[in-house]
């Protein structure tokens, strides 16, 4: 819980760090928003609450459920989890080797989504950078990931995609747009503005040691 290996510092924080960040945001008048709220703001000009922010998490590790979810409930904060389709199973487990992190189950994802605080979105069926896949392989990864989400959790009200490793191509951007994906998330540092391109949305990576300040 609070023992983060150095090789994961770039994308992992402790439970105490995460709670301190959410507590600081809440106490300073920041409001977490959903994908539907972001869509309404970008496409229809609908106003967002004051000081909006969005929590996004990739992959689907059980720490999202065991650590993050209770903190979200405590502060009534929203989050989006982009999950890898072939890693989510009926039982939690390590699917590569004994040293990998533990993945969540569909029941965990459903419980979180049913709370109204967490949205589950597509990170592909395979966790591979788009540039390493053929066009057909990328299409299959997106479609299989989407089909699994719809089968296990119900059809998505809003469809968005986070690129594994933040790698996109001109083909993948166009394919997702043509198939109803309203937003594509990268790992390029930055904040989302009304002028942001929906097929190239930046994110602020919160790494180990960062405080709520």
């Amino acid at each position: 819980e609070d023992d983060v290996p150095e090789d994961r510092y770039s994308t992992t924080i402790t439970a105490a760090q995460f709670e301190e960040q959410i507590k600081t945001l809440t106490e300073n008048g920041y409001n977490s928003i959903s994908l539907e709220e972001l869509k309404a703001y970008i496409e229809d000009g609908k106003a967002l609450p004051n000081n909006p922010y969005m929590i996004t998490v990739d992959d689907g590790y059980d720490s999202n459920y065991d650590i993050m979810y209770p903190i979200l409930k405590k502060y009534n904060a929203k989050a989006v989890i982009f999950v890898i389709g072939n890693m989510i199973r009926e039982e939690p487990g390590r699917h590569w080797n004994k040293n990998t992190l533990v993945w969540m189950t569909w029941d965990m994802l459903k419980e979180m989504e049913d709370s109204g605080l967490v949205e589950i979105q597509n990170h592909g069926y395979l966790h591979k950078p788009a540039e390493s896949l053929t066009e057909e392989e990328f299409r299959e990864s997106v479609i299989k990931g989407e089909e699994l989400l719809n089968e296990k959790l119900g059809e998505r009200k809003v469809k968005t995609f986070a690129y594994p490793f933040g790698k996109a191509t001109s083909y993948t951007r166009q394919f997702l747009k043509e198939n109803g994906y309203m937003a594509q998330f990268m790992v390029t540092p930055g904040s989302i503005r009304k002028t942001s391109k929906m097929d190239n949305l930046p994110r602020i990576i919160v790494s180990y040691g960062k405080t709520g300040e």
Side-chain angles (χ1 to χ4, degrees):
E1 182 172 313
D2 286 326
D3 185 20
V4 178
E6 279 193 47
D7 63 349
R8 294 200 172 104
Y9 274 8
S10 63
T11 56
T12 307
I13 59 176
T14 68
Q17 289 169 355
F18 181 68
E19 179 162 10
E20 194 265 343
Q21 291 161 3
I22 301 305
K23 182 174 184 288
T24 299
L25 288 167
T26 302
E27 291 178 346
N28 285 276
Y30 284 80
N31 296 281
S32 61
I33 63 169
S34 67
L35 287 169
E36 288 188 81
E37 290 173 297
L38 176 64
K39 182 176 186 289
Y41 169 69
I42 295 288
E43 295 185 355
D44 305 322
K46 188 173 180 179
L48 291 172
N50 292 332
N51 304 317
Y53 72 95
M54 178 180 287
I55 300 169
T56 64
V57 185
D58 291 358
D59 298 344
Y61 298 118
D62 69 341
S63 59
N64 297 173
Y65 179 83
D66 294 333
I67 298 174
M68 182 181 78
Y69 181 45
I71 295 171
L72 295 177
K73 289 192 289 185
K74 181 176 179 179
Y75 294 94
N76 196 37
K78 302 171 185 175
V80 183
I81 303 175
F82 294 94
V83 299
I84 304 165
N86 73 340
M87 290 292 104
I88 308 300
R89 310 289 173 86
E90 301 305 326
E91 297 292 335
R94 295 178 170 88
H95 303 312
W96 289 327
N97 60 64
K98 66 180 182 179
N99 296 317
T100 62
L101 298 176
V102 177
W103 300 84
M104 282 188 286
T105 67
W106 291 109
D107 285 344
M108 290 175 180
L109 294 174
K110 186 175 189 309
E111 179 187 337
M112 289 192 290
E113 192 159 77
D114 285 349
S115 75
L117 294 175
V118 180
E119 297 173 87
I120 310 301
Q121 292 287 325
N122 197 354
H123 198 34
Y125 185 76
L126 302 175
H127 194 253
K128 294 184 177 181
E131 61 189 14
S132 74
L133 300 173
T134 65
E135 292 180 358
E136 181 179 358
E137 288 171 336
F138 179 80
R139 289 196 303 269
E140 288 180 354
S141 182
V142 171
I143 292 169
K144 287 182 73 173
E146 181 180 331
E147 288 176 345
L148 260 179
L149 288 176
N150 292 343
E151 174 192 343
K152 300 293 187 179
L153 303 176
E155 190 170 347
R156 308 293 82 193
K157 294 179 181 178
V158 174
K159 294 200 305 183
T160 62
F161 188 84
Y163 283 97
F165 306 99
K167 303 294 185 180
T169 69
S170 58
Y171 171 79
T172 63
R173 295 181 200 275
Q174 188 61 33
F175 172 78
L176 290 171
K177 283 194 283 189
E178 290 175 352
N179 284 273
Y181 282 80
M182 77 93 178
Q184 301 175 40
F185 287 86
M186 315 301 289
V187 293
T188 309
S191 301
I192 297 174
R193 306 183 184 281
K194 188 152 189 176
T195 55
S196 296
K197 293 183 178 180
M198 297 302 288
D199 64 353
N200 190 30
L201 293 178
R203 294 190 280 179
I204 297 172
I205 298 175
V206 180
S207 54
Y208 182 87
K210 285 190 176 179
T211 70
E213 297 300 320

